[in-house]
Structure formats: structure tokens, C-alpha cells
């Protein structure tokens, strides 16, 4: 007899899942029944939050949904933070949990791991939450989840299976295809957008995370129009070293001046969130009047109305726009000059201290070309989100925007390394953030994930301390004592280096990469 738990594994395989992150427990034992015989790799984090963050990093690096298995109650609530991050950054994540036996639900009888209304709680953070009550529902709900991931703005989905349902017979069920694709761009909207593009004399493109797999048509459109391209933090790498690239935050005054001067703005895959466009909270960002928006999500398009809204995958929309415009000379001859002037002014605007922190990120990029750098909320990451040009589309991401979950970097980097094993993967974290998920060093070792953990150790939450001082608040609670990270790494059997500043960082990174093993590099900062 095939059980529901065994069928789940078979169906996930049919949907292309090759890795699951999770911690088994008494409420999910039956979900693991078919796992050992499958081709799916299981990775055990040290905390369920780590399972969610690993699934997130896996999804961002690969473009495929990340999957986590967690127990009911505390296992699932531990995962909510990671789901919140995935929801904020449109990351496809499938969380499968157990739940107590059907007859006990909602009765408050004090069963192990009981919640008053687990599914009701998850509906507040997931795109949808579904309880499987019989075997025949499983193929349909999985097809629904994977169709959502591929056809609209993605995010976390939750499926719960009661313990009494997991063991039920599931013979004869098979996967339902999830053939749904993103909507095709509306022809009339493309025609009107092309007309505006050709007429524009000072066009500008804003590219966010939704455009990170549309590098080629984005560059061609920019060149055809002579339009500078401002990339948000999640869009970095799309225009590396390109004369029209502006790898600077739209929150910076020179970038906002560039937007204000443009007579047409094309926004591709960006939600105009304040952590990108108004991070200083001074209401300085004004939505452009002559705006073309491209986004796969109807809800996002509705939140920020534009003159022309195109609901489609960015690559498809940009390809269609290029075809409609046709060949010809650039609409704007001064695009490279406008981009260069903005780059220079934006770099000057961040000031020497932030420039120095950004140089640490450049040192990582230059030492390991084509790397994936996964950041946590730490000073060099904040700095690089303001200004930094990465050399791999989608290869720079972090939790310092949007939801802003501290401790994201280490487990997300493990997920990324397992998703793209040929790429160098560097986790850039601070001494404070690393302590949130420090035990995931063990998970990296177990999974043979060759992540290089670069720890920016300034002995505390210095960014928060600065904010307190700027607000006239005497700093309290911002100096948690860090451990000796190198000794902790060695306790796990992981090699480590300690550097005073970034002078020897490039050589240390190259040595670490050559080993093909997890490695810790601690940088002590004055």
C-alpha cells in the first residue's frame, strides 16, 4: 500500500523537486516514509527558521521553488519568519507541515504541539494555506501551488496534512500537471508603450528583482532607447559595467533627480517599496507621472497605478516591446552621459565611510568572479545596497530590504550553494546577525555546502547604535558580546581565518574557495 506520506514524495519528484530542507519530528515521520528511496536530497538545518531560509536561498539562486518540511506547532511557527521574508521578496517557497489528528483540531484538548487554528494563522502570511483531508486532494493542491509559482507573483505556500491522513492509502494517484504560465503581455498595451518609448527624449528604466532573469532584453532595450538603467538591490548584476548602468539606490538624491528629469520611466519588476525608494523615510520619492509598469502581479500593478500597466513576465514583456519598437537609432543620445553623471554623484552622496564598507563587497566580487553573495543585515550589505555593481544577475541578494529578517544570510547561503553548486557562494554577515543562526555551520558541514562565511565583526549592532545616536537616544542593548568565531568554526571541523581589516581578504577567499569546503573568515573591524 502507498500512503499519503509516500505519495507526497512521489508527487514532489514529479514537479521537479530535488531538495527538501527540514527537521523530522513525531508529527512528520510519515511524510518521510518514502524519502530515503527517492531521488530527493534531504538537508537538516539546526532550526526550522533555517529550513525556511535555506529554501529561500535555494529558490533565489535556482529560480525553482524551495521546499521545507516542518512539524506542526513550534516547527511551523519557527518557519513563519522565513515565510514572511519570502512573501516580501516574492520568493517561491512550499512549506509542508503536519498538523494534529483531524478529530482533535480546534478543540483545545492540550495535544502535543497544538495550536488553536494553525491554518488560520498561516493564511495571514502564506499566499494560501490548505489542509489535505483525503488522499485525492494532494495532486490538485500541489498542482495549484506550482502553477501559482510559475504564473504570478510568487511567495510562500503552506500545505498541512493531519497525522491521521498521512497514513491513509493513496494508491493510484498521480501528479496533475501545473501547466500554467505567466500571462502574455497585452498587445494594445505593448503598442502604446512602444509609441511612448520612441517619442521619449530622456527615457529611464528602473529594474528590480522581477527582471533578474531578463538580462538580455533589458540591455537591448536600454541600448535601443539610450536609457540609463537604475537597478534596485534585488536587480543588481543586470547591467554590470555597462555605460547605461546605475547600480545605486533610488533613495539617493542624485538618483531621484535622474528620475524627476526623465520624460518616460519604464519600471520592470519593481514594486516601489520604501526600503528601495524611500529608505530615509523623508517622503522624497514621487511616483513618475509618465510611467510604464511591467509586473507579473495584478495586485502590485493596482497598488501603484501607471499610465500603462503591462501584466506579464519581464522577459516576455521586454521582448515584445523590443519587437514592436524595431531597429533604429537610440531615442536619447545622452543616455550614457546621464548615467555616468548619476553614478558619480550617487557614489559621492554615500560618503567615505559607506564607500569603505562597499569596497569590502567589491573585494569579494573581484576575488571570486561570478559569485553569489548572500547578505545579512550588516554594515557592508547596507552600504552595497546603496551603491554596488555586481557581476552576476541575481547573484546579490539579502534580507536587509523588505521584511528585513536578521540571521537570514547563513542558511540562505547554504540553500544557494546547494542549488548552484558550480558557483562560488559567499555569506556576508555581521557578528550580531551570525549569532541568530550560527548553528547552521553544522548544516553546511553535513550537506558539504562550500559556503564561505565572511563575518564582519564590529562587536555589536553598530548600525542600530548609530541610529540611536542620530535620534539622540543613549545606546542600550547594542553591544552583545561576540564569541570567537574562528574557534567555533574549528569546533565544527571547519577551517577559519581571522583578518584585521580587508587587506588580506582576497587571498583568504581564494584559498577558501580552492578547498571546496565550508570556511569562515572573520574580519575584525575597529
Amino acid at each position: 500500500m502507498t500512503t499519503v506520506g509516500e505519495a507526497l514524495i512521489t508527487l514532489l519528484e514529479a514537479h521537479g523537486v530535488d531538495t527538501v530542507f527540514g527537521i523530522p519530528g513525531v508529527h512528520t515521520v510519515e511524510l518521510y516514509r518514502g524519502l530515503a528511496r527517492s531521488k530527493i536530497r534531504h538537508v537538516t538545518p539546526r532550526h526550522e527558521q533555517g529550513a525556511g531560509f535555506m529554501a529561500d536561498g535555494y529558490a533565489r539562486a535556482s529560480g525553482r521553488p524551495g521546499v521545507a518540511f516542518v512539524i506542526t506547532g513550534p516547527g511551523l511557527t519557527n518557519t513563519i519568519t522565513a515565510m514572511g521574508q519570502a512573501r516580501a521578496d516574492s520568493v517561491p517557497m512550499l512549506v509542508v507541515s503536519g498538523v494534529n489528528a483531524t478529530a482533535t483540531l480546534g478543540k483545545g484538548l492540550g495535544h502535543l504541539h497544538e495550536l488553536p487554528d494553525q491554518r488560520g494563522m498561516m493564511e495571514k502570511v502564506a499566499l494560501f494555506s490548505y489542509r489535505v483531508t483525503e488522499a485525492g486532494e494532494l495532486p490538485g493542491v500541489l498542482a495549484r501551488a506550482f502553477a501559482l509559482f510559475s504564473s504570478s507573483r510568487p511567495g510562500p505556500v503552506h500545505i498541512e496534512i493531519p497525522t491521521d491522513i498521512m497514513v491513509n492509502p493513496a494508491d493510484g494517484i498521480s501528479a496533475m500537471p501545473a501547466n500554467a504560465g505567466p500571462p502574455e503581455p497585452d498587445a494594445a498595451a505593448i503598442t502604446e508603450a512602444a509609441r511612448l518609448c520612441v517619442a521619449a527624449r530622456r527615457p529611464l528604466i528602473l529594474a528590480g528583482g522581477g527582471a533578474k532573469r531578463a538580462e538580455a532584453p533589458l540591455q537591448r532595450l536600454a541600448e535601443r532607447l539610450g536609457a540609463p538603467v537604475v537597478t534596485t538591490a534585488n536587480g543588481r548584476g543586470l547591467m554590470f559595467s555597462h555605460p547605461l548602468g546605475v547600480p545605486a539606490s533610488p533613495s539617493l538624491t542624485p538618483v531621484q533627480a535622474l528620475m524627476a528629469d526623465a520624460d518616460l520611466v519604464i519600471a520592470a519588476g519593481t514594486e516601489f517599496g520604501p526600503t528601495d525608494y524611500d529608505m530615509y523615510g523623508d517622503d522624497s520619492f514621487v511616483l513618475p507621472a509618465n510611467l510604464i509598469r511591467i509586473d507579473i502581479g495584478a495586485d502590485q500593478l493596482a497598488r501603484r497605478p501607471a499610465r500603462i500597466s503591462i501584466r506579464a513576465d519581464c522577459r516576455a514583456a521586454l521582448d515584445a516591446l523590443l519587437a514592436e519598437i524595431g531597429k533604429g537609432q537610440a531615442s536619447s543620445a545622452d543616455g550614457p552621459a546621464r548615467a555616468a553623471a548619476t553614478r558619480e554623484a550617487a557614489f559621492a552622496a554615500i560618503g567615505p565611510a559607506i564607500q569603505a564598507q562597499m569596497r569590502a563587497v567589491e573585494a569579494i566580487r573581484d576575488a571570486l568572479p561570478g559569485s553569489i553573495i548572500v547578505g545579512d543585515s550588516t554594515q557592508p550589505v547596507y552600504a552595497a545596497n546603496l551603491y554596488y555593481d555586481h557581476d552576476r544577475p541575481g547573484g546579490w541578494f539579502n534580507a536587509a530590504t523588505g521584511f528585513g529578517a536578521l540571521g537570514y544570510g547563513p542558511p540562505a547561503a547554504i540553500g544557494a550553494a546547494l542549488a548552484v553548486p558550480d558557483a562560488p557562494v559567499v555569506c556576508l554577515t555581521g557578528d550580531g546577525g551570525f549569532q541568530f543562526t550560527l548553528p547552521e555551520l553544522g548544516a553546511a558541514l553535513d550537506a558539504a555546502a562550500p559556503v564561505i562565511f565572511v563575518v564582519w565583526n564590529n562587536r555589536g549592532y553598530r548600525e542600530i547604535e548609530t541610529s540611536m545616536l542620530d535620534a539622540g537616544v543613549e545606546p542600550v542593548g547594542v553591544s552583545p558580546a561576540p564569541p570567537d568565531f574562528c574557534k567555533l568554526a574549528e569546533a565544527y571541523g571547519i577551517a577559519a581565518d581571522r583578518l584585521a581589516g580587508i587587506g588580506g581578504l582576497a587571498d583568504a577567499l581564494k584559498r577558501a574557495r580552492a578547498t571546496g569546503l565550508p570556511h569562515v573568515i572573520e574580519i575584525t573591524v575597529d
Side-chain angles (χ1 to χ4, degrees):
M1 181 187 74
T2 299
T3 67
V4 168
E6 290 173 303
L8 171 67
I9 302 302
T10 301
L11 294 173
L12 288 175
E13 279 190 303
H15 284 287
V17 174
D18 62 11
T19 304
V20 164
F21 304 94
I23 301 176
V26 294
H27 285 70
T28 54
V29 166
E30 288 299 330
L31 298 185
Y32 280 74
R33 183 173 291 279
L35 196 56
R37 299 191 303 272
S38 75
K39 296 179 181 178
I40 296 176
R41 168 178 48 189
H42 184 273
V43 177
T44 306
R46 298 307 189 259
H47 189 281
E48 288 92 355
Q49 186 182 90
F53 285 150
M54 288 178 192
D56 178 301
Y58 176 97
R60 296 201 207 206
S62 69
R64 303 187 301 275
V67 181
F69 278 10
V70 296
I71 64 167
T72 186
L76 188 58
T77 56
N78 283 343
T79 314
I80 285 180
T81 296
M83 295 176 70
Q85 187 71 51
R87 180 70 180 257
D89 284 347
S90 305
V91 177
M93 178 190 295
L94 175 62
V95 176
V96 181
S97 79
V99 71
N100 286 354
T102 307
T104 72
L105 298 178
K107 296 184 177 179
L109 299 174
H111 286 276
L112 180 65
H113 301 329
E114 185 178 40
L115 283 167
D117 182 4
Q118 178 172 286
R119 185 159 56 99
M121 177 183 67
M122 298 312 298
E123 286 175 338
K124 303 300 183 183
V125 64
L127 296 179
F128 75 85
S129 177
Y130 189 91
R131 179 181 300 149
V132 175
T133 59
E134 58 182 55
E137 296 173 349
L138 194 56
V141 70
L142 285 173
R144 177 185 171 191
F146 282 90
L148 185 153
F149 295 147
S150 62
S151 65
S152 61
R153 195 177 183 95
V157 167
H158 170 242
I159 297 173
E160 65 180 21
I161 307 176
T163 53
D164 57 316
I165 303 298
M166 295 177 190
V167 297
N168 283 352
D171 292 314
I173 68 171
S174 57
M176 294 175 59
N179 293 328
E184 292 294 323
D186 179 74
I190 291 294
T191 298
E192 179 62 11
R195 185 187 67 79
L196 293 179
C197 287
V198 172
R201 290 297 170 261
R202 296 185 312 282
L204 174 68
I205 299 173
L206 306 174
K212 66 183 180 182
R213 304 191 190 280
E215 177 188 21
L218 177 71
Q219 288 193 10
R220 289 199 302 270
L221 181 64
E223 291 163 358
R224 170 64 181 82
L225 301 180
V229 180
V230 175
T231 48
T232 68
N234 284 326
R236 299 289 167 80
L238 284 166
M239 299 288 290
F240 178 62
S241 285
H242 196 289
L244 290 168
V246 182
S249 170
S251 292
L252 295 173
T253 299
V255 181
Q256 292 181 346
L258 178 69
M259 288 190 281
D261 180 64
D263 60 356
L264 176 68
V265 175
I266 303 166
T270 180
E271 66 178 4
F272 292 110
T275 52
D276 277 316
Y277 288 84
D278 188 25
M279 66 171 295
Y280 299 108
D282 56 7
D283 296 323
S284 57
F285 170 68
V286 178
L287 196 69
N290 204 23
L291 175 65
I292 298 170
R293 283 201 71 188
I294 302 169
D295 200 289
I296 200 171
D299 55 345
Q300 283 297 330
L301 292 172
R303 289 180 186 128
R304 303 278 190 173
R307 179 168 178 180
I308 299 174
S309 294
I310 302 171
R311 187 184 174 213
D313 172 75
C314 279
R315 176 180 284 274
L318 294 172
D319 279 335
L321 195 53
L322 279 164
E324 185 70 21
I325 292 172
K327 298 179 180 179
Q329 295 297 315
S331 305
S332 172
D334 66 346
R338 287 191 293 142
T342 305
R343 287 195 301 270
E344 182 178 349
F347 184 74
I350 65 176
I354 294 177
Q355 290 170 5
Q357 293 162 8
M358 184 271 293
R359 294 297 188 201
V361 184
E362 288 187 329
I364 297 172
R365 177 199 66 197
D366 295 343
L368 301 175
S371 60
I372 298 173
I373 304 178
V374 184
D376 213 305
S377 296
T378 190
Q379 286 181 323
V381 172
Y382 289 128
N385 281 347
L386 283 174
Y387 192 103
Y388 168 66
D389 199 8
H390 196 55
D391 64 349
R392 180 190 184 108
W396 167 261
F397 58 86
N398 55 77
T401 64
F403 197 59
L406 197 59
Y408 167 86
I414 294 169
L418 297 176
V420 189
D422 294 336
V425 175
V426 177
C427 167
L428 180 53
T429 185
D431 59 291
F434 199 15
Q435 291 183 73
F436 274 52
T437 49
L438 184 59
E440 301 305 352
L441 280 173
L445 188 66
D446 289 346
V451 177
I452 304 171
F453 300 91
V454 177
V455 187
W456 186 263
N457 187 357
N458 55 19
R459 301 189 65 81
Y461 302 137
R462 294 295 161 239
E463 199 71 16
I464 305 304
E465 181 181 15
T466 300
S467 298
M468 285 181 159
L469 291 169
D470 289 346
V473 175
E474 185 176 350
V476 175
V478 292
S479 300
D484 187 320
F485 293 105
C486 292
K487 287 184 178 178
L488 281 172
E490 291 165 4
Y492 277 104
I494 295 174
D497 294 298
R498 182 178 286 111
L499 306 177
I502 66 170
L505 180 58
D507 289 339
L509 287 165
K510 292 174 183 176
R511 290 195 304 270
R513 173 61 179 166
T515 68
L517 298 170
H519 197 98
V520 170
I521 300 173
E522 179 184 358
I523 302 174
T524 57
V525 182
D526 184 357

